[in-house]
Amino acid sequence: MRDYLIFVHQKSFDAMLMIKPYLHVKKIKGKGRGVFTRADIPARTVVEVSPVLVLSRKDTRYVDKTLLHNYIFLWGARSTRTCLALGYCSLYNHSYDPNCIYEMDFEKEVMRIITRRKIKKGEELLINYNGDVHDRAPMWFPVRNS
């Protein structure tokens, strides 16, 4: 498979979709899919910028009854809505000691994935689903050690 950098201009989102070419998705036994790197990545590197689809409360009620519930994020300054992130954003697995953070830009309707520390080739990129790297609130699923 060939590596490539994805840039897609989407006028309706007024944002770019960018995924670094060394990222790839693979299946992990017992966890589903995860995002990995084929190269070392320095700390504080933006590895992905992805547009999001902001869902209404009505849409969220429908999505919450489906498998997609596991792939949406709380959205907005007061977390009153949800969104579905495009790109790989919804495929990063959870960790209470993540090597990445995610930032939400509510104005541009994008999410950014940024490394917290140097990540080695072959390593899985992980985020804390609670949105704060120090938040150890329980998840709605059993957390496996990464």
Side-chain angles (χ1 to χ4, degrees), residues 2-56:
R2 199 169 163 203
D3 288 343
Y4 55 91
L5 193 59
I6 301 170
F7 285 102
V8 180
H9 182 69
Q10 300 186 356
K11 287 183 182 179
S12 61
F13 294 107
D14 193 27
M16 286 265 183
L17 170 61
M18 179 278 294
I19 301 172
K20 292 290 188 179
Y22 45 76
L23 297 185
H24 68 286
V25 175
K26 71 178 187 180
K27 287 190 176 184
I28 309 161
K29 188 175 182 176
K31 283 177 76 175
R33 294 184 183 119
V35 179
F36 291 79
T37 179
R38 291 188 179 104
D40 290 346
I41 310 171
R44 294 175 299 283
T45 299
V46 176
V47 294
E48 180 169 355
V49 179
S50 291
V52 302
L53 300 173
V54 179
L55 304 176
S56 69

Side-chain angles (χ1 to χ4, degrees), residues 3 9-10 18-21 31 35 38 40-41 46 49 62 64 69 92-94 106 108 118 124 126 141-142 144 146:
D3 288 343
H9 182 69
Q10 300 186 356
M18 179 278 294
I19 301 172
K20 292 290 188 179
K31 283 177 76 175
V35 179
R38 291 188 179 104
D40 290 346
I41 310 171
V46 176
V49 179
Y62 289 119
D64 278 342
H69 166 79
Y92 291 86
N93 284 312
H94 169 77
F106 305 127
K108 293 183 180 176
K118 180 181 178 182
E124 183 177 9
L126 302 162
F141 56 88
R144 299 179 62 177
S146 302

Side-chain angles (χ1 to χ4, degrees), residues 94 96 102 127-133 135-140:
H94 169 77
Y96 287 120
Y102 62 90
I127 60 175
N128 184 328
Y129 286 5
N130 290 318
D132 177 347
V133 296
D135 188 339
R136 299 186 75 75
M139 294 289 106
W140 64 95

Side-chain angles (χ1 to χ4, degrees), residues 70-124:
N70 294 322
Y71 298 94
I72 59 175
F73 293 83
L74 292 175
W75 187 257
R78 289 181 262 156
S79 299
T80 56
R81 293 183 289 165
T82 61
C83 74
L84 178 64
L86 304 177
Y88 293 164
C89 282
S90 292
L91 300 177
Y92 291 86
N93 284 312
H94 169 77
S95 173
Y96 287 120
D97 185 26
N99 52 18
C100 295
I101 61 167
Y102 62 90
E103 288 183 347
M104 297 178 164
D105 185 328
F106 305 127
E107 184 178 317
K108 293 183 180 176
E109 294 188 343
V110 298
M111 284 181 61
R112 291 179 199 84
I113 306 293
I114 304 163
T115 59
R116 293 181 60 214
R117 61 164 173 80
K118 180 181 178 182
I119 300 176
K120 295 179 183 177
K121 178 181 178 178
E123 198 173 342
E124 183 177 9

